[in-house]
Amino acid sequence: MSWQAYVDTSLVSSGNIDKAAIFNSEGSSVWASSPGFTVAPAEIKAVVASFADKDDVKKVQSEGFHIASEKFFTLKSDERSLYGKKGKEGVVVVKTQQAILVAHYPESVQPGSAATTVEQLGDYLISVGY
């Protein structure tokens, strides 16, 4: 399956995600994305830095983060996942061995449903070496 197919079929077609992108694990290359969903280099760099941050209170937890020029408040941040919320919409970011999945969900979707969709794809990619 192509990277674009993962975005289109595994994420957006689930009905729990309305736009998504997949980057390499360093955030330096976009492998696939939904039309019009642009994550700026500085935004993905901050996401990558959040995965490496080992402080008790991470910078991303106290300051939030930006995806596609929108600011999100951090709900969860650990070495694998970053969840953010803005009003009733939000983002779920999952890091695998070689990729970073960035997915946006609309206000009509429950955050848990969106997180499950993205985390399951992350689990699958890890299981096949990505």
Side-chain angles (χ1 to χ4, degrees), residues 12 14 16 24 30-31 39 54 58 64 84 87 89-91 100 103 106 111 115 117 122-123:
V12 176
S14 71
N16 294 325
N24 67 339
V30 181
W31 290 351
V39 180
K54 304 296 182 206
K58 296 180 176 192
E89 63 185 84
V91 291
I100 297 174
T117 298
D123 289 342

Side-chain angles (χ1 to χ4, degrees), residues 55-107:
D55 291 340
D56 286 340
V57 177
K58 296 180 176 192
K59 181 178 178 182
V60 74
Q61 290 172 306
S62 60
E63 297 180 8
F65 61 101
H66 291 82
I67 296 291
S69 300
E70 294 186 52
K71 183 172 183 174
F72 293 89
F73 294 96
T74 304
L75 299 176
K76 174 184 177 179
S77 177
D78 59 29
E79 66 281 344
R80 174 189 155 123
S81 304
L82 176 63
Y83 297 1
K85 195 145 176 71
K86 176 187 164 211
K88 293 183 179 181
E89 63 185 84
V91 291
V92 177
V93 182
V94 175
K95 184 179 187 300
T96 69
Q97 296 164 5
Q98 298 183 40
I100 297 174
L101 313 174
V102 181
H104 178 275
Y105 61 90
E107 61 182 50

